[in-house]
């Protein structure tokens, strides 16, 4: 798993970045524990994996 930007993840999920960020809101405690900080544009691999698993986003490296 590689680091990805929010816009890359949104494109893979088929939604806008704004919608993707709204999806994050109920999961912020877990995301912050994995190293995500508010305002990050490029997300670390652990966060990308969590998001892909939680929201069923197909990420192929």
């Amino acid at each position: 798993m590689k680091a990805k930007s929010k816009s890359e993840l949104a494109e893979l999920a088929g939604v806008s970045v704004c919608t993707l960020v709204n999806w994050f809101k109920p999961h912020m405690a877990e995301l912050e524990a994995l190293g995500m900080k508010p305002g990050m544009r490029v997300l670390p691999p652990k966060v990308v994996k969590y998001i892909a698993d939680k929201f069923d986003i197909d990420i192929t490296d």
Side-chain angles (χ1 to χ4, degrees), residues 9-57:
L9 283 173
E11 185 177 324
L12 289 168
V15 298
S16 70
V17 174
C18 186
T19 298
L20 185 72
V21 170
N22 284 332
W23 288 358
F24 293 170
K25 290 180 182 178
H27 306 278
M28 282 309 292
E30 294 92 340
L31 292 169
E32 288 174 353
L34 291 171
M36 182 173 150
K37 294 179 175 61
M40 283 184 106
R41 291 187 183 183
V42 177
L43 304 175
K46 287 191 279 186
V47 173
V48 172
K49 179 169 177 20
Y50 176 87
I51 292 167
D53 292 343
K54 186 59 96 175
F55 301 111
D56 196 29
I57 302 170

